[in-house]
Amino acid sequence: MLDYDLHCHSNISDGTLTPTEVVNRAALRGVKMLALTDHDDTDGLAEAGAAAALHGMKFVNGVEISVTWRKHTLHIVGLGIDPANPALQAGLKSVRGGRTGRAMKMSDELARAGIGGVFQGALKYASNPNMIGRTHFARYLVEAGHCKDVKSVFNRYLATGKPGYVPHQWAVLSDAIRWIKESGGIAVIAHPGRYMVGRHSMGKQTMHILLTEFVQLGGDALEVVTGSHTPEQYAEFSRYAQEFGLMSSCGSDFHGPDESYRDLGRLPDLPLICRPVWEALK
Ligand code: AMP
Ligand code: MN
Ligand code: MN
Ligand code: MN
């Protein structure tokens, strides 16, 4: 059986390892097919692909696009994209373009809450300054002694409605799907369970509307097994995938050895009713 991991991050976005280090770690852990899916940026793919070739590992070009749908932030993973596609690159560039201004606003909000200098502090953690995001803020706030770990920083300062949270307009869902499809990729809704927990989450009815729209727009798959899902959610989202005729994907959403829900690879099998997305990637 092949070991698939179709969702992870390098320091091109908010992971802590370089693309080569991610691939080497995945190879060491027995991954046979890996997709690197940095947020809104494909700059790590060439390096990761070259590293994967040295291990004889199948490598899939990926990306995770930030989307605003209704009042929700969604992540749409593209698998098997062509990073040279001009429409995709122009789209990703426009999504990245809002990040620095947003980060400055977040820093202003945190200053108002009594914590100064966070923009400069977070920037030190962003290897790719165009891609500054909440995870870099969280790492700095841990360093500065405000919380014990990244998770606690999100709960206290950075999650929706918290003092450092700044609402932001990301890509439109139809655009994100179009960029992925036009570049030859497969569009996947990442970690759907995460949109259904917490005070600002969507209910079942809204999830149905989202999936209906996603299918109409040409979306292909749902992430069923992911680091942030419980086994109950594997079952729940495999049923959604079946109901909406979507394929199923699996990925760790690894961000680094010390911060992730799960390490690379060795993920639980997809439920038997699932149609695995990798059958369309071969
Ligand atoms: P951004 O794109 O800047 O809004 O950052 C989103 C990233 O923050 C996600 O991809 C995760 O890596 C991280 N993140 C979001 N929520 C949490 C959380 N509750 N705990 C830890 N990391 C989180
Ligand atoms: Mn992330
Ligand atoms: Mn995500
Ligand atoms: Mn991710």
Side-chain angles (χ1 to χ4, degrees):
M1 200 210 116
L2 286 184
D3 194 334
Y4 301 87
D5 192 332
L6 302 177
H7 185 156
C8 66
H9 297 270
S10 75
N11 66 357
I12 291 295
S13 62
D14 59 356
T16 58
L17 305 182
T18 65
T20 300
E21 287 166 345
V22 170
V23 168
N24 290 349
R25 188 179 182 94
L28 206 65
R29 293 179 53 83
V31 175
K32 297 292 189 296
M33 186 193 268
L34 181 76
L36 178 67
T37 55
D38 276 310
H39 299 285
D40 308 324
D41 199 314
T42 59
D43 278 1
L45 296 178
E47 181 186 318
L54 296 177
H55 293 284
M57 182 196 286
K58 288 199 174 66
F59 182 74
V60 176
N61 284 321
V63 68
E64 182 176 18
I65 306 181
S66 313
V67 163
T68 303
W69 180 78
R70 300 191 165 186
K71 64 178 170 114
H72 305 278
T73 299
L74 308 178
H75 287 171
I76 305 296
V77 162
L79 297 174
I81 51 160
D82 171 10
N85 182 276
L88 173 68
Q89 284 309 331
L92 295 179
K93 192 171 177 203
S94 71
V95 180
R96 289 193 299 270
R99 280 194 174 266
T100 300
R102 168 200 190 228
M104 286 171 165
K105 280 193 213 149
M106 285 169 59
S107 188
D108 290 346
E109 291 299 320
L110 288 166
R112 224 193 291 260
I115 308 176
V118 184
F119 179 75
Q120 287 307 324
L123 206 51
K124 286 190 302 176
Y125 286 88
S127 319
N128 175 0
N130 304 323
M131 273 305 300
I132 188 165
R134 286 186 291 164
T135 313
H136 308 113
F137 275 65
R139 290 183 187 135
Y140 172 69
L141 288 171
V142 172
E143 176 203 312
H146 295 283
C147 287
K148 68 175 194 318
D149 57 21
V150 161
K151 183 109 226 139
S152 325
V153 182
F154 272 90
N155 291 338
R156 202 153 135 204
Y157 295 109
L158 301 179
T160 314
K162 301 293 163 155
Y165 181 78
V166 170
H168 189 73
Q169 193 64 45
W170 301 106
V172 172
L173 180 62
S174 56
D175 285 343
I177 295 173
R178 188 167 44 79
W179 301 332
I180 292 168
K181 309 286 302 185
E182 280 183 10
S183 73
I186 286 173
V188 187
I189 298 182
H191 43 62
R194 294 240 299 258
Y195 315 134
M196 298 182 83
V197 293
R199 229 157 36 90
H200 303 270
S201 63
M202 60 175 84
K204 284 194 172 148
Q205 205 178 347
T206 309
M207 179 53 73
H208 268 88
I209 297 169
L210 168 62
L211 292 172
T212 304
E213 241 178 74
F214 183 68
V215 168
Q216 280 167 355
L217 292 167
D220 303 284
L222 202 52
E223 223 173 49
V224 168
V225 170
T226 159
S228 54
H229 278 180
T230 62
E232 290 72 33
Q233 287 173 314
Y234 304 156
E236 179 184 3
F237 289 101
S238 68
R239 287 192 297 269
Y240 275 115
Q242 192 181 42
E243 180 182 347
F244 286 87
L246 292 164
M247 293 181 284
S248 300
S249 187
C250 77
S252 57
D253 206 0
F254 175 80
H255 282 72
D258 303 321
E259 282 180 19
S260 304
Y261 293 100
R262 282 198 87 99
D263 209 323
L264 290 158
R266 302 183 199 170
L267 293 157
D269 286 337
L270 286 174
L272 284 171
I273 60 166
C274 291
R275 221 160 22 100
V277 76
W278 49 83
E279 287 175 1
L281 287 168
K282 281 171 186 158

